[in-house]
Every structure is written in structure tokens, then in C-alpha cells.
Amino acid sequence: MKKTFLTALLSLSIALQFTYAQGVLEQKNDPFFGESCTSIMVGKKATTDGSVITSHTCDGRYRTWLTVEKAQEFDKNATHKVYKGTLKTETAYDQRKMKLVGEIDQVESTFAYLNTAYPCLNEKQLAIGETTFVGPEELVNENGMFLIEELERIALQRCTTARDAIQLIGKLIKKHGYGDWGECITIADKKEVWQMEILGEGPDKIGGVWAAQRIPDDHIGISANISRIGKLDLKNSDYFMASDNVFKAAKDLKRWDGKKEFKFWEVYGGVDKPFKIREFFILNHFAPSLKLDFEADELPFSVKPDNKISVKDVMAMYRETYEGTKYDMTQNLKVIKKKYNDKKEVIGQDTITAPNAHPWPNGHTRNLSNFLKEGSIEYQRTVAVSWCSYSFVTQLRDWLPDEIGGVAWFSFDNPGQSPRIPIYAGATELPESFNYCGQKRFRADATIWAYRKANKLATLAWQDTREEMMADVAHFENKGFEDGAILENKIAKLIKEGKKDEARKLLNQYTRDFTGATILRWKELENKYWGKFGLGF
């Protein structure tokens, strides 16, 4: 009798674990809600080497474990299980707070893909970035089957082009329903990159509305937690796509009278204008000749950069904190530094940035500074933030074999401080420490903490530590491109010779070695900072 009771209790406990998942509407309580991602896109004619680029910062307490999911084959009766609650698990086997919400027909075969919190790259050089733009709460239907991360997953498993991915996602939404907040996914392949924005149709309608717009090949685009798509020229299918209900739903929901000019961001986005500081800063940075105005009612959806953009340029933008501009949060944090002669007599003084000033002050620091002197720190949402889980800049190249044509330059923790690790589309394994998330608690076996400890220590005396840390970031960035070019030649030769297994092993080893080198250096920095600041910061 006792054994039966314990068995029943255990079964109930397991059942509860599988049935409880954070509701979509509960996400409003997350302090990072609506400020959690930045995605930059660059067309192939706007890049220095002809690459297509998409990218993503996953800002907030999202999982940091990642795996390479293998390609698979299935029989005709197989189904694909759809879950909610996958974004904040601790390992690939952690099913706490996950919920099985449905099944769909499986396909005969799937592609291998890089399984990040928001799945991002497959073996065929299809890549996806993501940003949540929220939208009006009255459009959310929690009963819709699909959250955005699961739509990304299925697209990467089944598609090779951005256009096919958009069409597939549209069909899945129409049939099974979209159950998330307003989301933008930036979908790129070897030829082009698109921005797709998706919302629900309200709590009483299983379905959804969406629009997609292509970034012109010679342009750069940006999505940063705000709806950006405006007018829809659906006759121009080379640049626009949308759900078949995009206009009707707007009327039914009384969001558009059918007379006023239709702009997707205005009708569905729930915002006064389709940009904030990040969109303005990034577009203006790459196209200063346009003299964009932050006070304008609207900015262009995308812009032609004044100069062609390299992958390194995009990486640099992800380190951006607006230093030296009127948006710099350290600009008022000054101290007096006195100059002395050999007799220790004061012979002059300079006004310098305070040694402990850094561009990622939390609320407590801002409140204290502003209490002491009002207006000392005016908060700005920087591109690089200290609460970032991970980020990547994905480079796609049609002149190389898929195995090396696609590469995700991956970074843990603050992208303004951490090095980037190259993960190629042909990789089949990742370092062991990538299997563990470090967001729920400190875990020495989770990769993110190998960087986070040194990063956080560095900010306590940033003006003294930044030069060295940035030099190390630059060293590994240069190393990645220089060594990568040699590696890619080797891999291309192996593939041409039909030695694909050998090529994949070499790719796996390269990522492991590169990761190990960066972890070792960041551990050295951590130890150095403890030694330097052991008596106080």
C-alpha cells in the first residue's frame, strides 16, 4: 500500500513537471521583457566579401546550453512533438516546466541544426535571428500551438531557403495557431535575407497574422524589439510576403478602417513609431550620409551603407555602448586626477572618466548616481548589455561548400566583452561544457561562467581593465578569421576528395580548440583582476 502511494505521488510529481510551463502572458513580469534582442541583417552586395549576414543577441535569462542536433530520417507515420517551455531549461534533458502542446506530421528527413535557445543555423546555410517586439496584448492567444522558437526549429529542420522557411512558418501558423507575443525573425540563406514579423489574431482565433520583407541585397537592416515593416507591396513578391488575412484581420480586429494607408508596424505593432535608439544608431552609423533624424516619425526600413560592411564591422556593432556620443552613460561620471612632481607637489590636474565608470550600470548604480547629482546617468538601451545570455553573427557564403560556407560567430555573456567562437555549419559536436546552462545558478561546468566571472570583475574598474580585455577580444577575432581561412581551404579539399567525415572531425576539433584557448585566457584575466583588486575596487 505504501509503495503504491509513493509510486502515485512520484507520477503526479513528474506529471506536474511536464504540464507546468510559464504562460506567455506571464512573461510581462520578466524585467527584460520587450528589451531582449538585437538582430542586424546585411545583404550580399552590402558586404565586403559577398556574405549574407544575420545575427542575434539573446538578452535575458535564457538558456545558454547549445547542441548540434543531427539530421534524421523517419517513417511515414512519424510525428513531430511541439513543446512550450524550452527557453529556460538547464540541459538538453531538463524537462521541468516544459509542456507537450501538440504533434504535427513529420517529414521523411530533417537537416542537422545548431540548437540554441532560439535555433539559429542548419547544415544547408539557412540561418535565423530573433527579436521580440511584443505588440498589443489583445492579439495574444495562448492556445495557439506554436511559440516562435519552435517555428524556427521546424524551419531549420526542413528548409534550405529563407523564402521556403517563411512559407512553411505561415502554413503552420494558419493550421495550428500562433501562441506567442509579437515576434520578428530575421531569416537568411546563401542568397538573401528577410525580416518576418508575426502576431496572433486575438484570444478567440487560432491562427495568426504575419508579414515579411526582404532586405535589398545592397542594404543593411535592423530589428531590435520593435515592429519595423511598413507598407506592403504584395504585388512585388520578390520583396514582400504576408498572410492571406493580413488586411481582413486588421479590419475585423478594428485596428484598421480600410481607408487609411496600411502600415504593418502601425496597425499591428502597437507603437507610435517604428524605431528607438538601437535602430537609429545602427542605421545612422552605417549610412551617415543620409543624416537620419532621431526625432523623425519614421526611419527607412533598411539603408544602403556608405561603405561595404565586413563581418568584423557587425561584430563591432554588437560591442556598441554609444561611447563618445550624447547617449554615452559614462559621459558625466568624471573625477579629478592630480599631477605631481618628484617632490609630490601638485603641479596640475585633469578631469578624467572615473576608473569605476562603465557603460552597463544597473538600476542601483543609476539611482545612487542620480541621487547624488540629478541627471548623472540617463539610461539608454545599448546594443551590448550585461544581461546577454549569448549572441551570434552568422556569415553565409554561397561560393563555399555548405559545411564551411555557414559559420556562426558565437559569444557567451556580454557581447561587449566576450570573445567570439566560430561554429561551422558542418560541425557535428560541440565542447562538453556547451551542454550546460549557467543561468539558473553558478555552474563551473557551464561555458558562460568561464567568461562571465572575468567580465563582471572587469566592470568594477573598467577604465583600468578595458584596454587589455578589448585587446584579447581583438586577438581572438583576428585569429578566428586568419586561422579560419586556412582551415576552410583544408576542409574544402577534404570535401572535394569525398572525405566528409574527416572534414567534420576537423571542424569539431577546431571549435573545441578555439573555445579552450579563449576560456584559458579569460581565466587568466579573472585571476589577474582578483590579484589586482584583491584589497578593494
Side-chain angles (χ1 to χ4, degrees):
M1 182 73 175
K2 184 177 180 181
K3 184 176 181 181
T4 303
F5 173 75
L6 289 175
T7 301
L9 188 62
L10 178 61
S11 298
L12 177 61
S13 174
I14 294 173
L16 287 173
Q17 288 183 15
F18 280 87
T19 56
Y20 176 77
Q22 182 188 38
V24 172
L25 296 178
E26 292 178 53
Q27 293 175 17
K28 291 185 297 181
N29 299 321
D30 189 324
F32 307 113
F33 181 64
E35 291 287 342
S36 55
C37 306
T38 306
S39 182
I40 299 171
M41 301 150 279
V42 192
K44 63 182 180 179
K45 292 182 180 179
T47 56
T48 54
D49 65 349
S51 299
V52 179
I53 297 173
T54 190
S55 49
H56 172 55
T57 60
C58 188
D59 301 328
R61 288 190 175 275
Y62 297 95
R63 69 166 168 91
T64 59
W65 65 263
L66 60 153
T67 58
V68 175
E69 299 299 323
K70 297 179 180 179
Q72 297 186 67
E73 294 184 357
F74 301 92
D75 63 43
K76 62 181 180 180
N77 297 318
T79 60
H80 172 90
K81 292 180 171 58
V82 179
Y83 291 91
K84 291 182 179 179
T86 64
L87 288 178
K88 297 185 178 181
T89 51
E90 198 165 8
T91 69
Y93 306 103
D94 177 13
Q95 293 188 308
R96 290 170 293 180
K97 297 187 178 181
M98 279 178 54
K99 180 180 180 181
L100 177 64
V101 293
E103 298 183 18
I104 64 172
D105 292 339
Q106 185 57 277
V107 291
E108 291 183 4
S109 62
T110 58
F111 301 116
Y113 68 97
L114 185 56
N115 182 19
T116 43
Y118 293 92
C120 65
L121 173 67
N122 75 10
E123 63 178 307
K124 298 297 183 181
Q125 297 197 65
L126 179 68
I128 305 178
E130 177 273 345
T131 74
T132 303
F133 66 83
V134 182
E137 183 175 329
E138 59 265 27
L139 296 181
V140 177
N141 183 350
E142 291 193 281
N143 295 319
M145 182 184 292
F146 283 104
L147 300 182
I148 195 66
E149 61 270 19
E150 293 306 303
L151 290 170
E152 292 181 59
R153 185 185 319 283
I154 293 173
L156 291 173
Q157 288 177 330
R158 302 183 180 190
C159 300
T160 60
T161 70
R163 297 186 190 214
D164 286 348
I166 292 167
Q167 295 288 0
L168 173 61
I169 288 170
K171 290 177 183 177
L172 291 172
I173 290 169
K174 184 174 182 178
K175 183 175 182 179
H176 301 285
Y178 179 71
D180 217 335
W181 291 94
E183 288 276 359
C184 171
I185 49 177
T186 59
I187 313 174
D189 57 35
K190 295 176 284 188
K191 301 291 185 183
E192 57 192 26
V193 57
W194 289 71
Q195 184 164 323
M196 182 182 189
E197 297 179 0
I198 311 168
L199 303 102
E201 289 185 71
D204 300 322
K205 181 73 172 178
I206 294 295
V209 291
W210 59 270
Q213 185 171 349
R214 178 182 164 193
I215 305 296
D217 291 344
D218 58 351
H219 276 214
I220 178 173
I222 164 74
S223 176
N225 305 128
I226 196 165
S227 179
R228 298 270 297 131
I229 296 176
K231 300 175 187 177
L232 297 178
D233 181 6
L234 297 182
K235 293 180 180 179
N236 185 359
S237 60
D238 202 33
Y239 281 89
F240 293 91
M241 288 186 269
S243 55
D244 55 15
N245 64 342
V246 68
F247 300 119
K248 183 178 184 302
K251 292 180 181 178
D252 293 344
L253 292 165
K254 302 188 186 311
R255 306 195 65 83
W256 181 55
D257 61 9
K259 299 176 182 178
K260 185 179 179 181
E261 182 180 46
F262 184 95
K263 294 182 180 180
F264 191 87
W265 66 263
E266 188 173 45
V267 172
Y268 289 110
V271 291
D272 294 328
K273 59 182 186 179
F275 71 94
K276 290 183 181 178
I277 182 65
R278 283 174 286 165
E279 292 85 359
F280 168 76
F281 187 89
I282 290 170
L283 295 179
N284 187 61
H285 172 84
F286 287 116
S289 63
L290 295 180
K291 300 185 186 304
L292 299 177
D293 182 4
F294 188 54
E295 302 304 322
D297 293 331
E298 193 169 356
L299 292 181
F301 173 72
S302 61
V303 299
K304 183 176 181 178
D306 289 0
N307 300 295
K308 291 198 173 184
I309 297 169
S310 69
V311 177
K312 284 188 176 184
D313 292 331
V314 178
M315 291 178 178
M317 190 52 56
Y318 276 113
R319 293 191 289 269
E320 189 56 63
T321 58
Y322 318 139
E323 183 177 11
T325 75
K326 64 181 181 180
Y327 308 110
D328 184 349
M329 285 188 282
T330 68
Q331 62 185 303
N332 298 320
L333 305 180
K334 306 293 186 181
V335 295
I336 299 298
K337 183 178 182 180
K338 295 179 179 180
K339 296 179 180 180
Y340 298 88
N341 61 17
D342 294 341
K343 296 179 181 181
K344 296 186 178 180
E345 297 171 332
V346 176
I347 58 173
Q349 64 182 33
D350 291 324
T351 302
I352 64 170
T353 301
N356 60 336
H358 66 82
W360 305 288
N362 61 24
H364 298 306
T365 300
R366 298 196 303 271
N367 290 339
L368 174 59
S369 297
N370 290 329
F371 175 79
L372 295 173
K373 184 178 180 181
E374 187 176 352
S376 293
I377 303 177
E378 182 180 349
Y379 175 74
Q380 301 291 346
R381 206 303 189 175
T382 52
V383 181
V385 292
S386 60
W387 65 84
C388 182
S389 298
Y390 67 84
S391 66
F392 60 81
V393 176
T394 303
Q395 180 182 15
L396 309 167
R397 298 168 289 183
D398 63 1
W399 64 92
L400 292 172
D402 288 334
E403 288 85 351
I404 52 175
V407 55
W409 297 93
F410 195 89
S411 173
F412 293 92
D413 199 52
N414 187 343
Q417 297 178 292
S418 294
R420 293 200 173 274
I421 300 163
I423 303 174
Y424 283 89
T428 57
E429 295 177 2
L430 297 173
E432 172 64 21
S433 61
F434 282 30
N435 289 320
Y436 310 107
C437 174
Q439 296 290 55
K440 295 180 181 294
R441 55 196 170 107
F442 170 74
R443 291 187 61 146
D445 57 355
T447 310
I448 191 170
W449 281 102
Y451 308 102
R452 178 172 280 173
K453 288 185 287 183
N455 289 349
K456 297 300 183 279
L457 283 172
T459 61
L460 295 173
W462 183 239
Q463 301 308 315
D464 293 329
T465 60
R466 60 179 297 178
E467 184 177 350
E468 180 178 35
M469 181 169 272
M470 290 300 95
D472 286 326
V473 168
H475 165 73
F476 283 109
E477 189 173 289
N478 291 331
K479 180 179 175 61
F481 284 100
E482 291 168 5
D483 292 356
I486 297 171
L487 173 74
E488 289 162 12
N489 286 332
K490 289 182 180 179
I491 297 298
K493 184 178 179 181
L494 289 172
I495 291 173
K496 189 174 182 180
E497 295 171 353
K499 300 176 181 178
K500 286 196 173 185
D501 289 341
E502 188 176 338
R504 292 189 181 99
K505 288 180 181 178
L506 189 57
L507 291 175
N508 296 340
Q509 186 64 55
Y510 179 69
T511 297
R512 282 197 297 270
D513 290 349
F514 201 99
T515 302
T518 59
I519 286 176
L520 176 61
R521 180 53 186 153
W522 257 247
K523 182 63 178 177
E524 291 174 343
L525 291 175
E526 176 195 343
N527 293 340
K528 182 174 184 178
Y529 298 155
W530 276 125
K532 186 174 183 178
F533 306 124
L535 299 181
F537 295 93

